[in-house]
Amino acid sequence: MSHRIGLVGKPSVGKSSFFNAATMNDVPEGAYPFTTIDPSVGEAYVRVECAAPEFDEQCTPNVGYCDDGTRFVPTKLVDVAGLIPGAHEGNGLGNQFLSDLNETDVLIHVVDFSGETDLEGEPTEDHDPRDDIAFLEEELDQWYLGVLEKGIERYESGYTTEDDAIEEELATQMSAFKTNEDEIKRLIRRTDVGFDPEEWDPEAKLALAREIRTETKPMVIAANKMDTTEAQENYEEITSDSDYDHLTIVPCSAHAEKALKSADKAGVVDYRPGDSDFEITGDVSGEQTQGLEQIREFLATYGATGVQAALETALFDVLGVKPVFPGGANGLGNERGEVLPDCYLVPPNATAEDFAYSLHSDIGDGFLHAIDCRSNRQLGKDYEVEPRDVIEVITTN
């Protein structure tokens, strides 16, 4: 199934650099606001431990690739226009930003932890990254609040029938956020605001809007530019502050990731995305060696550049996506002799029947049962798939 990760943040924080590092595309980069105007969509990859070695096989991927037992599975990455204060009121490219945001499932908020850009994306010194974290969440909350209030107004206007509950109207009004009536009802209960919107004061409305936002647009913070001393100091201060314990913050350097991938492509280094080290394999100048060794020191400190970790944290940890391999009649292969050609990224609560539908609607319609290719155990339609399952679907179609 296709999942879309949205890169969000104010201008000039390194979003485009992150996008290029993750996808090896060449969208414009620059230290000035609104380098990105139209959203850029590219293919990034998340790592999954390949199941083929467990069967003494070597996989033959249709999409992505496999490197020494690590499967790189494609996912969509969207670099949307930079956000500035007042975006929910249309400031900057706000309306376009919010529209583009609706096409994503999970967000990576790229924050300049070096403090070298202000809230408008202009160069500065000693800017507090906490202000950036707060401002983006507040902008999104205000955007959700505006849509929520339209649903309340529609409900209170009497336009709906007397039998309609407030959660039905809000689910309809906020359907673009990929929510539904059951979820809205659950979030109303969680915020304990009651089911009578006439009793909701501004604080209650904002609390509900924030709850819907965090549920439908979960977020990871990419602490970018961590190869600077200022960013490292800010990172230590923020991550030790209990007020930020609810956030998932990943230290990263998009610059280091792009440099390593470019050097690997040129045959200068041997580097696999997400690894904690690399090997210099080509001829490099003294200046290049110095630069690479600085990157090596960064990897030794933080374990990786953080770009790959941010992508995988967003999909697997925050969104809860599970990788599942479709098996075949002989356990792994298909009629073309391909071995585990596909790896699907399915929602967290996906069942065997859901997985069948993700393969093809006809396969889902004809679903009989599934087979666990590791144990040969028969699985019913309600079996909830586990990460790295290898499943053969038996269908009348």
Side-chain angles (χ1 to χ4, degrees):
M1 299 183 67
S2 177
H3 292 86
R4 295 166 71 93
I5 302 173
L7 289 183
V8 298
K10 69 183 186 184
S12 306
V13 295
K15 283 194 302 90
S16 296
S17 298
F18 187 107
F19 178 87
N20 286 338
T23 64
M24 290 304 285
N25 283 11
D26 291 314
V27 302
E29 299 177 17
Y32 50 89
F34 304 121
T35 304
T36 299
I37 297 178
D38 296 321
S40 301
V41 181
E43 190 170 79
Y45 297 89
V46 291
R47 295 170 297 174
V48 176
E49 183 184 353
C50 188
E54 297 177 42
F55 298 83
D56 294 323
E57 295 277 4
Q58 184 172 341
C59 69
T60 52
N62 275 334
V63 294
Y65 61 98
C66 196
D67 185 346
D68 194 25
T70 297
R71 192 78 168 253
F72 286 79
V73 182
T75 188
K76 294 297 182 185
L77 188 62
V78 183
D79 177 19
V80 299
L83 190 68
I84 64 171
H88 70 280
E89 299 173 338
N91 291 349
L93 300 174
N95 291 332
Q96 177 178 327
F97 168 90
L98 299 174
S99 176
D100 296 337
L101 198 68
N102 261 348
E103 303 302 317
T104 64
D105 302 297
V106 63
L107 306 178
I108 295 178
H109 180 192
V110 182
V111 178
D112 177 3
F113 261 56
S114 72
E116 295 177 347
T117 49
D118 64 18
L119 284 177
E120 301 285 343
E122 299 291 349
T124 188
E125 294 180 359
D126 300 324
H127 179 74
D128 192 340
R130 282 174 285 208
D131 293 342
D132 296 349
I133 295 172
F135 122 79
L136 187 130
E137 291 190 330
E138 289 168 4
E139 283 295 331
L140 296 183
D141 289 345
Q142 290 297 324
W143 175 37
Y144 270 68
L145 177 61
V147 179
L148 176 77
E149 289 180 329
K150 289 179 182 178
I152 295 173
E153 291 172 6
R154 181 182 170 90
Y155 178 81
E156 293 180 338
S157 70
Y159 183 81
T160 56
T161 67
E162 293 183 2
D163 294 333
D164 286 342
I166 182 60
E167 63 266 25
E168 295 178 46
E169 185 58 47
L170 293 183
T172 299
Q173 185 67 40
M174 309 186 82
S175 60
F177 299 128
K178 301 179 183 179
T179 189
N180 55 56
E181 180 183 339
D182 290 340
E183 184 172 60
I184 294 292
K185 184 184 293 186
R186 175 169 56 84
L187 298 178
I188 289 175
R189 289 198 180 105
R190 184 190 294 175
T191 52
D192 196 27
V193 297
F195 286 85
D196 184 358
E198 292 184 357
E199 298 180 358
W200 295 352
D201 59 19
E203 185 177 339
K205 293 176 184 178
L206 180 60
L208 180 56
R210 181 180 297 113
E211 201 70 24
I212 299 172
R213 188 265 300 173
T214 56
E215 191 78 8
T216 59
K217 285 289 180 283
M219 188 183 305
V220 172
I221 305 295
N224 197 29
K225 304 186 182 180
M226 283 292 294
D227 45 358
T228 65
T229 301
E230 294 82 3
Q232 293 167 10
E233 292 173 352
N234 285 328
Y235 177 80
E236 292 300 323
E237 185 176 341
I238 292 172
T239 54
S240 61
D241 187 339
S242 60
D243 289 343
Y244 294 87
D245 286 346
H246 67 288
L247 295 176
T248 302
I249 303 177
V250 179
C252 75
S253 169
H255 168 75
E257 179 74 7
K258 182 67 181 297
L260 287 176
K261 282 186 174 177
S262 297
D264 180 79
K265 186 177 180 180
V268 174
V269 304
D270 182 11
Y271 170 70
R272 184 172 66 175
D275 280 359
S276 60
D277 202 358
F278 59 91
E279 180 184 356
I280 298 177
T281 57
D283 294 330
V284 291
S285 66
E287 185 177 352
Q288 289 173 322
T289 300
Q290 182 179 3
L292 287 170
E293 291 305 322
Q294 288 176 348
I295 293 176
R296 197 190 301 276
E297 290 178 12
F298 177 80
L299 298 184
T301 302
Y302 294 100
T305 68
V307 171
Q308 199 65 43
L311 297 170
E312 291 159 3
T313 299
L315 271 193
F316 297 138
D317 298 339
V318 174
L319 198 58
V321 168
K322 298 176 180 178
V324 180
F325 297 92
N330 64 355
L332 294 184
N334 58 23
E335 66 277 3
R336 295 185 297 275
E338 299 168 329
V339 176
L340 290 187
D342 299 302
C343 180
Y344 285 74
L345 302 177
V346 302
N349 299 317
T351 63
E353 185 178 41
D354 295 332
F355 178 60
Y357 273 108
S358 71
L359 299 176
H360 196 282
S361 58
D362 288 345
I363 294 176
D365 289 342
F367 180 88
L368 294 175
H369 62 268
I371 297 175
D372 183 330
C373 294
R374 288 187 175 93
S375 65
N376 290 322
R377 180 167 59 99
Q378 184 170 307
L379 308 172
K381 67 176 183 179
D382 294 328
Y383 166 78
E384 189 171 308
V385 300
E386 295 292 335
R388 298 184 62 253
D389 268 348
V390 183
I391 295 177
E392 179 185 358
V393 175
I394 308 302
T395 176
T396 58
N397 295 325

